[in-house]
Amino acid sequence: MHFTSEQRLDDTVVEREFTLGEIPGILWTPASASASAPAPLILLGHPPLGLRKMYPRLAGRARQAAADGFASATIELPGSGDRPRWPAAEQARDDLRRAMEAGEPVSDEIVDALVLPLVDKAVPEWQTALDALLSLPEIGGPVGFSGGVISIGIRLAVVEPRISAAVLFAGSFVPRALFEEARQITIPLHVLLQWDDEGNDRQAALDLFDAFGSKEKSLHANMGGHAGVPQFAGDAAAQFFTRHLK
């Protein structure tokens, strides 16, 4: 991990950009974090729109996490930002757009082509980032995963034993194969669902929640579209991490 910049967002949050091989990322830590008082870590997921576009929202989430005593970090997803494009993924996005604009059902083939290669590549990258982050003296466990592409969160929750709890956003298409993986999840889950999400199949989201194998799981459904998550829902997610990571 190579740090490329450092700044203070205010007196309480330190922001450092880094690269991990070809992967850019950002780490936010409470100014009080140190080797003698390491902070628990939350991995901040995001949609594949690029870190530059997502930065304002990510920084806001990071500030909230720091106020609650957590470090947080994110990495650029494969095919996003300045990373090399995936022609196959772009074709799948075009196919998805055409189907939705025509009011046609989105086929399993389109969903698989769009999501599965992303999950297969992104999850090992998140694990590599986690190795590097937990080697820093000011970062400690336990670790949580928050938001982003729900299929990535599902796979991480299954294969990464260092993740102790997750907040998942039911706002993207999920391949059928990931429903089977969801049954293997055992960590506590806090799932957000926008009831009128124009880009998400509500019944599929409910079926996915039912599939999660966790003994402790809660579904927080709110009225409104994809981008209308109310502030109190974010506050509840923050409280969830405080209960399970501290």
Side-chain angles (χ1 to χ4, degrees), residues 46-51 76-85 93 118:
H46 56 90
L49 301 175
L51 285 184
E76 188 73 87
L77 291 176
S80 298
D82 296 326
R83 297 190 65 182
R85 290 292 179 264
R93 279 194 289 270
L118 176 63

mmCIF file of all heavy atoms in Angstrom, residues 46-51 76-85 93 118:
data_model
loop_
_atom_site.group_PDB
_atom_site.id
_atom_site.type_symbol
_atom_site.label_atom_id
_atom_site.label_comp_id
_atom_site.label_asym_id
_atom_site.label_seq_id
_atom_site.Cartn_x
_atom_site.Cartn_y
_atom_site.Cartn_z
ATOM 1 N N HIS A 46 -19.651 0.856 -2.859
ATOM 2 C CA HIS A 46 -20.292 1.891 -3.681
ATOM 3 C C HIS A 46 -20.610 1.293 -5.049
ATOM 4 O O HIS A 46 -20.022 0.275 -5.440
ATOM 5 C CB HIS A 46 -19.378 3.115 -3.834
ATOM 6 C CG HIS A 46 -18.017 2.793 -4.391
ATOM 7 N ND1 HIS A 46 -17.746 2.794 -5.738
ATOM 8 C CD2 HIS A 46 -16.860 2.441 -3.772
ATOM 9 C CE1 HIS A 46 -16.474 2.463 -5.925
ATOM 10 N NE2 HIS A 46 -15.917 2.240 -4.771
ATOM 11 N N PRO A 47 -21.499 1.901 -5.807
ATOM 12 C CA PRO A 47 -21.798 1.408 -7.162
ATOM 13 C C PRO A 47 -20.634 1.688 -8.097
ATOM 14 O O PRO A 47 -19.776 2.538 -7.809
ATOM 15 C CB PRO A 47 -23.047 2.201 -7.558
ATOM 16 C CG PRO A 47 -23.007 3.427 -6.730
ATOM 17 C CD PRO A 47 -22.368 3.040 -5.426
ATOM 18 N N PRO A 48 -20.577 0.983 -9.234
ATOM 19 C CA PRO A 48 -19.436 1.131 -10.159
ATOM 20 C C PRO A 48 -19.533 2.394 -11.011
ATOM 21 O O PRO A 48 -19.581 2.332 -12.233
ATOM 22 C CB PRO A 48 -19.519 -0.141 -11.003
ATOM 23 C CG PRO A 48 -20.961 -0.506 -10.997
ATOM 24 C CD PRO A 48 -21.482 -0.103 -9.645
ATOM 25 N N LEU A 49 -19.535 3.542 -10.345
ATOM 26 C CA LEU A 49 -19.621 4.827 -11.039
ATOM 27 C C LEU A 49 -18.314 5.611 -10.968
ATOM 28 O O LEU A 49 -18.213 6.682 -11.563
ATOM 29 C CB LEU A 49 -20.752 5.670 -10.437
ATOM 30 C CG LEU A 49 -22.152 5.057 -10.496
ATOM 31 C CD1 LEU A 49 -23.146 5.948 -9.766
ATOM 32 C CD2 LEU A 49 -22.587 4.828 -11.934
ATOM 33 N N GLY A 50 -17.325 5.087 -10.237
ATOM 34 C CA GLY A 50 -16.040 5.765 -10.112
ATOM 35 C C GLY A 50 -15.931 6.539 -8.812
ATOM 36 O O GLY A 50 -16.895 7.173 -8.361
ATOM 37 N N LEU A 51 -14.755 6.487 -8.184
ATOM 38 C CA LEU A 51 -14.559 7.145 -6.897
ATOM 39 C C LEU A 51 -14.737 8.654 -6.987
ATOM 40 O O LEU A 51 -15.234 9.286 -6.052
ATOM 41 C CB LEU A 51 -13.163 6.830 -6.353
ATOM 42 C CG LEU A 51 -12.949 5.427 -5.775
ATOM 43 C CD1 LEU A 51 -11.550 5.312 -5.188
ATOM 44 C CD2 LEU A 51 -13.990 5.100 -4.719
ATOM 45 N N GLU A 76 -11.421 1.611 -5.659
ATOM 46 C CA GLU A 76 -12.055 1.710 -6.975
ATOM 47 C C GLU A 76 -12.409 0.322 -7.475
ATOM 48 O O GLU A 76 -11.595 -0.606 -7.398
ATOM 49 C CB GLU A 76 -11.094 2.387 -7.956
ATOM 50 C CG GLU A 76 -11.704 2.721 -9.300
ATOM 51 C CD GLU A 76 -12.661 3.902 -9.223
ATOM 52 O OE1 GLU A 76 -12.206 5.047 -9.349
ATOM 53 O OE2 GLU A 76 -13.875 3.655 -9.037
ATOM 54 N N LEU A 77 -13.620 0.160 -7.983
ATOM 55 C CA LEU A 77 -14.041 -1.132 -8.492
ATOM 56 C C LEU A 77 -13.437 -1.413 -9.865
ATOM 57 O O LEU A 77 -13.107 -0.481 -10.616
ATOM 58 C CB LEU A 77 -15.566 -1.185 -8.592
ATOM 59 C CG LEU A 77 -16.320 -1.198 -7.271
ATOM 60 C CD1 LEU A 77 -17.815 -1.152 -7.521
ATOM 61 C CD2 LEU A 77 -15.955 -2.415 -6.440
ATOM 62 N N PRO A 78 -13.289 -2.678 -10.229
ATOM 63 C CA PRO A 78 -12.787 -3.026 -11.561
ATOM 64 C C PRO A 78 -13.652 -2.402 -12.653
ATOM 65 O O PRO A 78 -14.886 -2.385 -12.556
ATOM 66 C CB PRO A 78 -12.900 -4.562 -11.593
ATOM 67 C CG PRO A 78 -12.893 -4.979 -10.161
ATOM 68 C CD PRO A 78 -13.579 -3.884 -9.402
ATOM 69 N N GLY A 79 -13.012 -1.848 -13.675
ATOM 70 C CA GLY A 79 -13.722 -1.266 -14.792
ATOM 71 C C GLY A 79 -14.282 0.109 -14.550
ATOM 72 O O GLY A 79 -14.944 0.674 -15.419
ATOM 73 N N SER A 80 -14.022 0.691 -13.366
ATOM 74 C CA SER A 80 -14.568 2.000 -13.015
ATOM 75 C C SER A 80 -13.462 3.044 -12.910
ATOM 76 O O SER A 80 -12.277 2.709 -12.808
ATOM 77 C CB SER A 80 -15.319 1.927 -11.680
ATOM 78 O OG SER A 80 -16.410 1.057 -11.768
ATOM 79 N N GLY A 81 -13.866 4.316 -12.878
ATOM 80 C CA GLY A 81 -12.891 5.395 -12.724
ATOM 81 C C GLY A 81 -11.862 5.377 -13.834
ATOM 82 O O GLY A 81 -12.202 5.295 -15.011
ATOM 83 N N ASP A 82 -10.595 5.438 -13.443
ATOM 84 C CA ASP A 82 -9.502 5.412 -14.413
ATOM 85 C C ASP A 82 -8.979 4.013 -14.690
ATOM 86 O O ASP A 82 -7.997 3.843 -15.421
ATOM 87 C CB ASP A 82 -8.342 6.292 -13.903
ATOM 88 C CG ASP A 82 -8.730 7.762 -13.807
ATOM 89 O OD1 ASP A 82 -9.535 8.198 -14.649
ATOM 90 O OD2 ASP A 82 -8.220 8.459 -12.912
ATOM 91 N N ARG A 83 -9.631 3.004 -14.121
ATOM 92 C CA ARG A 83 -9.183 1.630 -14.356
ATOM 93 C C ARG A 83 -9.628 1.166 -15.750
ATOM 94 O O ARG A 83 -10.600 1.690 -16.308
ATOM 95 C CB ARG A 83 -9.736 0.703 -13.274
ATOM 96 C CG ARG A 83 -9.233 1.056 -11.872
ATOM 97 C CD ARG A 83 -9.598 0.002 -10.858
ATOM 98 N NE ARG A 83 -8.932 -1.271 -11.142
ATOM 99 C CZ ARG A 83 -9.104 -2.384 -10.433
ATOM 100 N NH1 ARG A 83 -9.941 -2.382 -9.407
ATOM 101 N NH2 ARG A 83 -8.476 -3.492 -10.745
ATOM 102 N N PRO A 84 -8.915 0.192 -16.334
ATOM 103 C CA PRO A 84 -9.256 -0.265 -17.692
ATOM 104 C C PRO A 84 -10.707 -0.719 -17.804
ATOM 105 O O PRO A 84 -11.256 -1.343 -16.897
ATOM 106 C CB PRO A 84 -8.289 -1.437 -17.910
ATOM 107 C CG PRO A 84 -7.145 -1.167 -16.998
ATOM 108 C CD PRO A 84 -7.734 -0.511 -15.790
ATOM 109 N N ARG A 85 -11.329 -0.374 -18.921
ATOM 110 C CA ARG A 85 -12.728 -0.746 -19.156
ATOM 111 C C ARG A 85 -12.846 -2.232 -19.502
ATOM 112 O O ARG A 85 -11.918 -2.843 -20.029
ATOM 113 C CB ARG A 85 -13.299 0.088 -20.307
ATOM 114 C CG ARG A 85 -13.482 1.559 -19.930
ATOM 115 C CD ARG A 85 -14.592 1.679 -18.879
ATOM 116 N NE ARG A 85 -14.797 3.050 -18.447
ATOM 117 C CZ ARG A 85 -14.246 3.593 -17.365
ATOM 118 N NH1 ARG A 85 -13.417 2.872 -16.626
ATOM 119 N NH2 ARG A 85 -14.498 4.826 -17.007
ATOM 120 N N ARG A 93 -24.169 -3.745 -19.698
ATOM 121 C CA ARG A 93 -24.881 -2.540 -19.259
ATOM 122 C C ARG A 93 -25.780 -2.000 -20.371
ATOM 123 O O ARG A 93 -26.900 -1.557 -20.120
ATOM 124 C CB ARG A 93 -23.879 -1.476 -18.808
ATOM 125 C CG ARG A 93 -23.366 -1.668 -17.388
ATOM 126 C CD ARG A 93 -22.656 -0.426 -16.885
ATOM 127 N NE ARG A 93 -21.384 -0.228 -17.526
ATOM 128 C CZ ARG A 93 -20.238 -0.727 -17.085
ATOM 129 N NH1 ARG A 93 -20.226 -1.473 -15.987
ATOM 130 N NH2 ARG A 93 -19.109 -0.495 -17.716
ATOM 131 N N LEU A 118 -17.854 -8.982 -12.158
ATOM 132 C CA LEU A 118 -17.493 -7.923 -11.226
ATOM 133 C C LEU A 118 -17.248 -8.502 -9.837
ATOM 134 O O LEU A 118 -16.252 -8.170 -9.176
ATOM 135 C CB LEU A 118 -18.608 -6.878 -11.170
ATOM 136 C CG LEU A 118 -18.416 -5.739 -10.163
ATOM 137 C CD1 LEU A 118 -17.193 -4.909 -10.507
ATOM 138 C CD2 LEU A 118 -19.660 -4.868 -10.092
#
